[in-house]
Amino acid sequence: MDDDQIPHSPDFDELDRLAPNKAGRRNLLFALIGNINYSWSNNESTFIYILQHLMETDELTATLVFGTLNTTRARVDLIERLADAKLKDDTLKKKLRRILRIFNESTRLRNEFSHATFRQNQQGEITHTHSMRIQRKNGQIQLGEIKALDDARIAQMGKAIEKLVKLNREIWAFIPELQHTMSQAADKPQHQGSPQLQPS
């Protein structure tokens, strides 16, 4: 690699000198990122109880399934498939789809900040995020999109947190409905004549 291709090391002494002047905005940004992760994680953890009722099992078993599926995408996929197979109430299905849709939207934002590098200017102010997702553009392989961390984006982060908080309350209202519906379905006698698996 040629010397001119190697990035110049930042002037750390100068950045340390300037850092106190930018502490307010930096702390706001870090608080917003932390709050997004905190609120998102709280929402994902409620999926244990959605799984519990869709699987008609106990909390420990649902927790083990949740923990064994070690990606969010796998957990959401399982919930969607169980709902399609076992949840007969169309209104409740629509509520669950809405919950998962909003959660998936928040996941993209959470990942955007959790898996990015942060750029700062000569004054020590964080100015951009740079996605670490590898992509191909115009035939070239490169890291992902660079986005400005301006006032509009900070406002967007605040609105996302509000949406996550609201979603959490929506999920907690949904879980008793799901529990009641699944309990009622379990109490009904099963129809005879369903195809049975035969030993080979």
Side-chain angles (χ1 to χ4, degrees):
M1 179 181 288
D2 296 334
D3 288 344
D4 60 357
Q5 291 181 293
I6 300 174
H8 294 293
S9 174
D11 186 342
F12 293 111
D13 291 336
E14 179 66 5
L15 291 174
D16 287 342
R17 186 183 70 80
L18 294 169
N21 298 326
K22 305 298 179 181
R25 189 172 179 88
R26 289 170 71 95
N27 289 339
L28 170 63
L29 176 61
F30 296 152
L32 288 168
I33 294 172
N35 209 330
I36 287 171
N37 275 282
Y38 168 81
S39 301
W40 179 88
S41 296
N42 274 352
N43 284 331
E44 189 191 29
S45 68
T46 61
F47 291 170
I48 291 171
Y49 305 108
I50 294 176
L51 283 171
Q52 177 183 346
H53 297 306
L54 287 174
M55 294 169 61
E56 300 175 88
T57 187
D58 56 87
E59 183 178 343
L60 174 60
T61 301
T63 302
L64 290 172
V65 170
F66 178 92
T68 301
L69 297 171
N70 59 5
T71 67
T72 300
R73 181 69 258 171
R75 293 163 183 166
V76 171
D77 282 347
L78 179 58
I79 289 171
E80 289 175 336
R81 291 170 184 174
L82 285 170
D84 286 341
K86 304 186 74 173
L87 188 55
K88 306 305 179 186
D89 186 312
D90 287 338
T91 300
L92 219 55
K93 271 188 180 180
K94 287 179 182 177
K95 287 184 179 182
L96 181 55
R97 288 193 192 105
R98 169 187 159 80
I99 286 168
L100 295 178
R101 176 179 56 79
I102 296 173
F103 178 78
N104 285 335
E105 290 170 0
S106 72
T107 298
R108 286 191 287 274
L109 182 68
R110 177 258 184 187
N111 289 345
E112 184 178 320
F113 287 101
S114 296
H115 306 295
T117 59
F118 295 84
R119 293 188 171 191
Q120 53 187 346
N121 59 22
Q122 294 299 318
Q123 289 72 47
E125 180 182 9
I126 297 174
T127 60
H128 294 79
T129 57
H130 191 173
S131 169
M132 296 301 290
R133 181 186 293 274
I134 295 174
Q135 61 183 17
R136 182 181 291 275
K137 188 174 182 180
N138 299 326
Q140 299 293 319
I141 293 178
Q142 60 186 33
L143 287 179
E145 189 176 3
I146 299 172
K147 291 185 178 180
L149 266 174
D150 52 15
D151 290 343
R153 194 141 178 244
I154 285 177
Q156 177 194 26
M157 294 168 75
K159 289 178 181 177
I161 292 165
E162 291 176 5
K163 186 180 287 189
L164 283 165
V165 170
K166 185 177 178 181
L167 179 64
N168 192 259
R169 295 176 183 179
E170 188 174 328
I171 295 170
W172 281 111
F174 171 82
I175 289 170
E177 292 185 71
L178 178 62
Q179 180 183 22
H180 177 69
T181 298
M182 295 303 296
S183 297
Q184 280 191 324
D187 291 341
K188 290 181 181 179
Q190 299 297 312
H191 295 293
Q192 300 298 316
S194 298
Q196 300 293 320
L197 292 176
Q198 299 295 327
S200 56

